[in-house]
PDB file of all heavy atoms in Angstrom:
ATOM      1  N   VAL A 452     -24.622 -12.427 -27.805  1.00 94.00           N
ATOM      2  CA  VAL A 452     -24.566 -13.784 -28.383  1.00 94.00           C
ATOM      3  C   VAL A 452     -25.717 -14.633 -27.867  1.00 94.00           C
ATOM      4  O   VAL A 452     -26.367 -15.371 -28.632  1.00 94.00           O
ATOM      5  CB  VAL A 452     -23.212 -14.443 -28.058  1.00 94.00           C
ATOM      6  CG1 VAL A 452     -23.216 -15.915 -28.434  1.00 94.00           C
ATOM      7  CG2 VAL A 452     -22.079 -13.713 -28.780  1.00 94.00           C
ATOM      8  N   TYR A 453     -26.004 -14.516 -26.576  1.00 93.00           N
ATOM      9  CA  TYR A 453     -27.108 -15.290 -25.983  1.00 93.00           C
ATOM     10  C   TYR A 453     -28.431 -14.898 -26.631  1.00 93.00           C
ATOM     11  O   TYR A 453     -29.272 -15.761 -26.936  1.00 93.00           O
ATOM     12  CB  TYR A 453     -27.163 -15.037 -24.477  1.00 93.00           C
ATOM     13  CG  TYR A 453     -28.262 -15.797 -23.770  1.00 93.00           C
ATOM     14  CD1 TYR A 453     -28.104 -17.141 -23.443  1.00 93.00           C
ATOM     15  CD2 TYR A 453     -29.453 -15.165 -23.425  1.00 93.00           C
ATOM     16  CE1 TYR A 453     -29.113 -17.842 -22.804  1.00 93.00           C
ATOM     17  CE2 TYR A 453     -30.475 -15.847 -22.793  1.00 93.00           C
ATOM     18  CZ  TYR A 453     -30.307 -17.191 -22.474  1.00 93.00           C
ATOM     19  OH  TYR A 453     -31.315 -17.875 -21.837  1.00 93.00           O
ATOM     20  N   ALA A 454     -28.639 -13.596 -26.847  1.00 95.00           N
ATOM     21  CA  ALA A 454     -29.881 -13.126 -27.466  1.00 95.00           C
ATOM     22  C   ALA A 454     -30.019 -13.660 -28.887  1.00 95.00           C
ATOM     23  O   ALA A 454     -31.109 -14.108 -29.304  1.00 95.00           O
ATOM     24  CB  ALA A 454     -29.918 -11.597 -27.472  1.00 95.00           C
ATOM     25  N   MET A 455     -28.922 -13.631 -29.653  1.00 93.00           N
ATOM     26  CA  MET A 455     -28.982 -14.143 -31.020  1.00 93.00           C
ATOM     27  C   MET A 455     -29.250 -15.640 -31.046  1.00 93.00           C
ATOM     28  O   MET A 455     -29.946 -16.153 -31.928  1.00 93.00           O
ATOM     29  CB  MET A 455     -27.679 -13.808 -31.745  1.00 93.00           C
ATOM     30  CG  MET A 455     -27.502 -12.328 -32.046  1.00 93.00           C
ATOM     31  SD  MET A 455     -25.942 -11.976 -32.919  1.00 93.00           S
ATOM     32  CE  MET A 455     -26.159 -10.220 -33.260  1.00 93.00           C
ATOM     33  N   ASP A 456     -28.685 -16.368 -30.088  1.00 93.00           N
ATOM     34  CA  ASP A 456     -28.946 -17.807 -29.987  1.00 93.00           C
ATOM     35  C   ASP A 456     -30.418 -18.084 -29.713  1.00 93.00           C
ATOM     36  O   ASP A 456     -30.943 -19.144 -30.068  1.00 93.00           O
ATOM     37  CB  ASP A 456     -28.093 -18.429 -28.876  1.00 93.00           C
ATOM     38  CG  ASP A 456     -26.641 -18.618 -29.300  1.00 93.00           C
ATOM     39  OD1 ASP A 456     -26.375 -18.540 -30.520  1.00 93.00           O
ATOM     40  OD2 ASP A 456     -25.785 -18.833 -28.423  1.00 93.00           O
ATOM     41  N   LYS A 457     -31.088 -17.119 -29.058  1.00 92.00           N
ATOM     42  CA  LYS A 457     -32.516 -17.240 -28.756  1.00 92.00           C
ATOM     43  C   LYS A 457     -33.378 -16.642 -29.869  1.00 92.00           C
ATOM     44  O   LYS A 457     -34.565 -16.367 -29.688  1.00 92.00           O
ATOM     45  CB  LYS A 457     -32.835 -16.545 -27.437  1.00 92.00           C
ATOM     46  CG  LYS A 457     -32.186 -17.187 -26.217  1.00 92.00           C
ATOM     47  CD  LYS A 457     -32.738 -18.590 -25.969  1.00 92.00           C
ATOM     48  CE  LYS A 457     -32.144 -19.210 -24.719  1.00 92.00           C
ATOM     49  NZ  LYS A 457     -32.665 -20.577 -24.472  1.00 92.00           N
ATOM     50  N   ASP A 458     -32.729 -16.411 -31.041  1.00 93.00           N
ATOM     51  CA  ASP A 458     -33.409 -15.915 -32.242  1.00 93.00           C
ATOM     52  C   ASP A 458     -33.935 -14.495 -32.114  1.00 93.00           C
ATOM     53  O   ASP A 458     -34.920 -14.108 -32.774  1.00 93.00           O
ATOM     54  CB  ASP A 458     -34.563 -16.857 -32.640  1.00 93.00           C
ATOM     55  CG  ASP A 458     -34.063 -18.250 -33.017  1.00 93.00           C
ATOM     56  OD1 ASP A 458     -32.975 -18.344 -33.619  1.00 93.00           O
ATOM     57  OD2 ASP A 458     -34.755 -19.230 -32.683  1.00 93.00           O
ATOM     58  N   VAL A 459     -33.310 -13.701 -31.258  1.00 94.00           N
ATOM     59  CA  VAL A 459     -33.627 -12.281 -31.223  1.00 94.00           C
ATOM     60  C   VAL A 459     -33.021 -11.659 -32.475  1.00 94.00           C
ATOM     61  O   VAL A 459     -31.836 -11.850 -32.746  1.00 94.00           O
ATOM     62  CB  VAL A 459     -33.063 -11.605 -29.952  1.00 94.00           C
ATOM     63  CG1 VAL A 459     -33.339 -10.101 -29.990  1.00 94.00           C
ATOM     64  CG2 VAL A 459     -33.662 -12.234 -28.705  1.00 94.00           C
ATOM     65  N   PRO A 460     -33.812 -10.934 -33.273  1.00 95.00           N
ATOM     66  CA  PRO A 460     -33.297 -10.363 -34.531  1.00 95.00           C
ATOM     67  C   PRO A 460     -32.078  -9.471 -34.315  1.00 95.00           C
ATOM     68  O   PRO A 460     -32.008  -8.727 -33.330  1.00 95.00           O
ATOM     69  CB  PRO A 460     -34.494  -9.558 -35.074  1.00 95.00           C
ATOM     70  CG  PRO A 460     -35.699 -10.206 -34.452  1.00 95.00           C
ATOM     71  CD  PRO A 460     -35.253 -10.664 -33.084  1.00 95.00           C
ATOM     72  N   LYS A 461     -31.140  -9.530 -35.266  1.00 94.00           N
ATOM     73  CA  LYS A 461     -29.914  -8.739 -35.148  1.00 94.00           C
ATOM     74  C   LYS A 461     -30.173  -7.244 -35.221  1.00 94.00           C
ATOM     75  O   LYS A 461     -29.351  -6.451 -34.750  1.00 94.00           O
ATOM     76  CB  LYS A 461     -28.920  -9.133 -36.251  1.00 94.00           C
ATOM     77  CG  LYS A 461     -28.401 -10.556 -36.151  1.00 94.00           C
ATOM     78  CD  LYS A 461     -27.409 -10.850 -37.251  1.00 94.00           C
ATOM     79  CE  LYS A 461     -26.868 -12.274 -37.156  1.00 94.00           C
ATOM     80  NZ  LYS A 461     -25.902 -12.563 -38.241  1.00 94.00           N
ATOM     81  N   ASP A 462     -31.318  -6.866 -35.812  1.00 95.00           N
ATOM     82  CA  ASP A 462     -31.617  -5.441 -35.912  1.00 95.00           C
ATOM     83  C   ASP A 462     -32.445  -4.935 -34.728  1.00 95.00           C
ATOM     84  O   ASP A 462     -32.915  -3.793 -34.734  1.00 95.00           O
ATOM     85  CB  ASP A 462     -32.329  -5.124 -37.226  1.00 95.00           C
ATOM     86  CG  ASP A 462     -33.648  -5.895 -37.395  1.00 95.00           C
ATOM     87  OD1 ASP A 462     -33.955  -6.735 -36.507  1.00 95.00           O
ATOM     88  OD2 ASP A 462     -34.348  -5.654 -38.386  1.00 95.00           O
ATOM     89  N   SER A 463     -32.588  -5.762 -33.687  1.00 95.00           N
ATOM     90  CA  SER A 463     -33.291  -5.331 -32.479  1.00 95.00           C
ATOM     91  C   SER A 463     -32.432  -4.312 -31.742  1.00 95.00           C
ATOM     92  O   SER A 463     -31.201  -4.391 -31.771  1.00 95.00           O
ATOM     93  CB  SER A 463     -33.579  -6.516 -31.563  1.00 95.00           C
ATOM     94  OG  SER A 463     -34.406  -7.453 -32.209  1.00 95.00           O
ATOM     95  N   PRO A 464     -33.059  -3.358 -31.067  1.00 96.00           N
ATOM     96  CA  PRO A 464     -32.271  -2.342 -30.343  1.00 96.00           C
ATOM     97  C   PRO A 464     -31.598  -2.925 -29.101  1.00 96.00           C
ATOM     98  O   PRO A 464     -32.123  -3.850 -28.467  1.00 96.00           O
ATOM     99  CB  PRO A 464     -33.311  -1.291 -29.959  1.00 96.00           C
ATOM    100  CG  PRO A 464     -34.609  -2.025 -29.927  1.00 96.00           C
ATOM    101  CD  PRO A 464     -34.502  -3.092 -30.996  1.00 96.00           C
ATOM    102  N   ILE A 465     -30.454  -2.391 -28.796  1.00 95.00           N
ATOM    103  CA  ILE A 465     -29.675  -2.809 -27.626  1.00 95.00           C
ATOM    104  C   ILE A 465     -30.519  -2.716 -26.339  1.00 95.00           C
ATOM    105  O   ILE A 465     -30.370  -3.524 -25.425  1.00 95.00           O
ATOM    106  CB  ILE A 465     -28.411  -1.927 -27.495  1.00 95.00           C
ATOM    107  CG1 ILE A 465     -27.366  -2.311 -28.538  1.00 95.00           C
ATOM    108  CG2 ILE A 465     -27.820  -2.012 -26.080  1.00 95.00           C
ATOM    109  CD1 ILE A 465     -26.729  -3.667 -28.311  1.00 95.00           C
ATOM    110  N   SER A 466     -31.430  -1.743 -26.311  1.00 95.00           N
ATOM    111  CA  SER A 466     -32.234  -1.524 -25.096  1.00 95.00           C
ATOM    112  C   SER A 466     -33.075  -2.735 -24.727  1.00 95.00           C
ATOM    113  O   SER A 466     -33.468  -2.888 -23.569  1.00 95.00           O
ATOM    114  CB  SER A 466     -33.150  -0.308 -25.286  1.00 95.00           C
ATOM    115  OG  SER A 466     -33.999  -0.480 -26.405  1.00 95.00           O
ATOM    116  N   GLU A 467     -33.349  -3.622 -25.711  1.00 95.00           N
ATOM    117  CA  GLU A 467     -34.182  -4.795 -25.437  1.00 95.00           C
ATOM    118  C   GLU A 467     -33.451  -5.845 -24.610  1.00 95.00           C
ATOM    119  O   GLU A 467     -34.080  -6.646 -23.915  1.00 95.00           O
ATOM    120  CB  GLU A 467     -34.688  -5.420 -26.747  1.00 95.00           C
ATOM    121  CG  GLU A 467     -35.772  -4.620 -27.430  1.00 95.00           C
ATOM    122  CD  GLU A 467     -36.400  -5.381 -28.584  1.00 95.00           C
ATOM    123  OE1 GLU A 467     -36.091  -6.591 -28.750  1.00 95.00           O
ATOM    124  OE2 GLU A 467     -37.191  -4.775 -29.327  1.00 95.00           O
ATOM    125  N   ILE A 468     -32.129  -5.877 -24.699  1.00 95.00           N
ATOM    126  CA  ILE A 468     -31.401  -6.946 -24.000  1.00 95.00           C
ATOM    127  C   ILE A 468     -30.449  -6.419 -22.918  1.00 95.00           C
ATOM    128  O   ILE A 468     -29.834  -7.210 -22.200  1.00 95.00           O
ATOM    129  CB  ILE A 468     -30.590  -7.803 -25.000  1.00 95.00           C
ATOM    130  CG1 ILE A 468     -29.438  -6.978 -25.582  1.00 95.00           C
ATOM    131  CG2 ILE A 468     -31.483  -8.382 -26.084  1.00 95.00           C
ATOM    132  CD1 ILE A 468     -28.354  -7.828 -26.213  1.00 95.00           C
ATOM    133  N   MET A 469     -30.338  -5.108 -22.809  1.00 95.00           N
ATOM    134  CA  MET A 469     -29.378  -4.558 -21.840  1.00 95.00           C
ATOM    135  C   MET A 469     -29.799  -4.919 -20.413  1.00 95.00           C
ATOM    136  O   MET A 469     -30.978  -5.086 -20.102  1.00 95.00           O
ATOM    137  CB  MET A 469     -29.268  -3.043 -21.973  1.00 95.00           C
ATOM    138  CG  MET A 469     -30.497  -2.274 -21.545  1.00 95.00           C
ATOM    139  SD  MET A 469     -30.317  -0.482 -21.771  1.00 95.00           S
ATOM    140  CE  MET A 469     -31.883   0.082 -21.105  1.00 95.00           C
ATOM    141  N   VAL A 470     -28.812  -5.025 -19.539  1.00 93.00           N
ATOM    142  CA  VAL A 470     -29.058  -5.233 -18.110  1.00 93.00           C
ATOM    143  C   VAL A 470     -29.209  -3.856 -17.476  1.00 93.00           C
ATOM    144  O   VAL A 470     -28.293  -3.020 -17.553  1.00 93.00           O
ATOM    145  CB  VAL A 470     -27.884  -6.004 -17.452  1.00 93.00           C
ATOM    146  CG1 VAL A 470     -28.109  -6.132 -15.953  1.00 93.00           C
ATOM    147  CG2 VAL A 470     -27.746  -7.372 -18.105  1.00 93.00           C
ATOM    148  N   LYS A 471     -30.355  -3.622 -16.861  1.00 92.00           N
ATOM    149  CA  LYS A 471     -30.636  -2.288 -16.342  1.00 92.00           C
ATOM    150  C   LYS A 471     -29.955  -2.020 -15.003  1.00 92.00           C
ATOM    151  O   LYS A 471     -29.728  -0.865 -14.655  1.00 92.00           O
ATOM    152  CB  LYS A 471     -32.143  -2.078 -16.219  1.00 92.00           C
ATOM    153  CG  LYS A 471     -32.852  -2.090 -17.561  1.00 92.00           C
ATOM    154  CD  LYS A 471     -34.347  -1.841 -17.411  1.00 92.00           C
ATOM    155  CE  LYS A 471     -35.026  -1.835 -18.775  1.00 92.00           C
ATOM    156  NZ  LYS A 471     -36.483  -1.600 -18.658  1.00 92.00           N
ATOM    157  N   ARG A 472     -29.652  -3.082 -14.266  1.00 89.00           N
ATOM    158  CA  ARG A 472     -28.973  -2.896 -12.979  1.00 89.00           C
ATOM    159  C   ARG A 472     -27.480  -2.723 -13.241  1.00 89.00           C
ATOM    160  O   ARG A 472     -26.785  -3.642 -13.640  1.00 89.00           O
ATOM    161  CB  ARG A 472     -29.204  -4.085 -12.056  1.00 89.00           C
ATOM    162  CG  ARG A 472     -28.476  -3.967 -10.714  1.00 89.00           C
ATOM    163  CD  ARG A 472     -28.750  -5.188  -9.838  1.00 89.00           C
ATOM    164  NE  ARG A 472     -27.996  -5.105  -8.598  1.00 89.00           N
ATOM    165  CZ  ARG A 472     -26.800  -5.636  -8.418  1.00 89.00           C
ATOM    166  NH1 ARG A 472     -26.222  -6.299  -9.410  1.00 89.00           N
ATOM    167  NH2 ARG A 472     -26.170  -5.533  -7.258  1.00 89.00           N
ATOM    168  N   VAL A 473     -27.004  -1.523 -13.029  1.00 90.00           N
ATOM    169  CA  VAL A 473     -25.598  -1.207 -13.266  1.00 90.00           C
ATOM    170  C   VAL A 473     -24.962  -0.746 -11.953  1.00 90.00           C
ATOM    171  O   VAL A 473     -25.510   0.120 -11.261  1.00 90.00           O
ATOM    172  CB  VAL A 473     -25.422  -0.099 -14.321  1.00 90.00           C
ATOM    173  CG1 VAL A 473     -23.955   0.111 -14.637  1.00 90.00           C
ATOM    174  CG2 VAL A 473     -26.198  -0.441 -15.585  1.00 90.00           C
ATOM    175  N   ILE A 474     -23.837  -1.323 -11.611  1.00 89.00           N
ATOM    176  CA  ILE A 474     -23.133  -0.934 -10.398  1.00 89.00           C
ATOM    177  C   ILE A 474     -22.205   0.225 -10.713  1.00 89.00           C
ATOM    178  O   ILE A 474     -21.366   0.139 -11.619  1.00 89.00           O
ATOM    179  CB  ILE A 474     -22.349  -2.120  -9.807  1.00 89.00           C
ATOM    180  CG1 ILE A 474     -23.321  -3.216  -9.389  1.00 89.00           C
ATOM    181  CG2 ILE A 474     -21.484  -1.680  -8.622  1.00 89.00           C
ATOM    182  CD1 ILE A 474     -22.668  -4.473  -8.890  1.00 89.00           C
ATOM    183  N   THR A 475     -22.387   1.317  -9.997  1.00 91.00           N
ATOM    184  CA  THR A 475     -21.563   2.502 -10.199  1.00 91.00           C
ATOM    185  C   THR A 475     -20.724   2.761  -8.957  1.00 91.00           C
ATOM    186  O   THR A 475     -21.142   2.467  -7.838  1.00 91.00           O
ATOM    187  CB  THR A 475     -22.417   3.740 -10.506  1.00 91.00           C
ATOM    188  OG1 THR A 475     -23.312   3.993  -9.409  1.00 91.00           O
ATOM    189  CG2 THR A 475     -23.228   3.518 -11.772  1.00 91.00           C
ATOM    190  N   ILE A 476     -19.549   3.315  -9.172  1.00 90.00           N
ATOM    191  CA  ILE A 476     -18.601   3.594  -8.092  1.00 90.00           C
ATOM    192  C   ILE A 476     -18.043   5.006  -8.290  1.00 90.00           C
ATOM    193  O   ILE A 476     -17.618   5.345  -9.399  1.00 90.00           O
ATOM    194  CB  ILE A 476     -17.424   2.592  -8.096  1.00 90.00           C
ATOM    195  CG1 ILE A 476     -17.931   1.163  -7.906  1.00 90.00           C
ATOM    196  CG2 ILE A 476     -16.416   2.940  -7.010  1.00 90.00           C
ATOM    197  CD1 ILE A 476     -18.413   0.835  -6.526  1.00 90.00           C
ATOM    198  N   PRO A 477     -18.025   5.840  -7.253  1.00 92.00           N
ATOM    199  CA  PRO A 477     -17.410   7.171  -7.411  1.00 92.00           C
ATOM    200  C   PRO A 477     -15.916   7.062  -7.660  1.00 92.00           C
ATOM    201  O   PRO A 477     -15.242   6.197  -7.101  1.00 92.00           O
ATOM    202  CB  PRO A 477     -17.717   7.863  -6.075  1.00 92.00           C
ATOM    203  CG  PRO A 477     -18.010   6.772  -5.115  1.00 92.00           C
ATOM    204  CD  PRO A 477     -18.609   5.647  -5.913  1.00 92.00           C
ATOM    205  N   GLY A 478     -15.409   7.955  -8.491  1.00 89.00           N
ATOM    206  CA  GLY A 478     -14.012   7.864  -8.921  1.00 89.00           C
ATOM    207  C   GLY A 478     -12.994   8.079  -7.831  1.00 89.00           C
ATOM    208  O   GLY A 478     -11.823   7.708  -7.989  1.00 89.00           O
ATOM    209  N   ASN A 479     -13.399   8.690  -6.693  1.00 88.00           N
ATOM    210  CA  ASN A 479     -12.422   8.956  -5.635  1.00 88.00           C
ATOM    211  C   ASN A 479     -12.306   7.797  -4.640  1.00 88.00           C
ATOM    212  O   ASN A 479     -11.560   7.887  -3.676  1.00 88.00           O
ATOM    213  CB  ASN A 479     -12.774  10.242  -4.889  1.00 88.00           C
ATOM    214  CG  ASN A 479     -14.163  10.200  -4.250  1.00 88.00           C
ATOM    215  OD1 ASN A 479     -14.873   9.205  -4.366  1.00 88.00           O
ATOM    216  ND2 ASN A 479     -14.529  11.269  -3.582  1.00 88.00           N
TER     217      ASN A 479
END
Side-chain angles (χ1 to χ4, degrees):
V452 170
Y453 180 80
M455 290 181 174
D456 283 345
K457 295 295 183 180
D458 297 324
V459 177
K461 295 181 180 180
D462 59 356
S463 299
I465 285 291
S466 58
E467 287 190 8
I468 69 162
M469 69 182 183
V470 176
K471 295 182 179 180
R472 178 180 177 267
V473 185
I474 296 176
T475 60
I476 300 288
N479 59 359

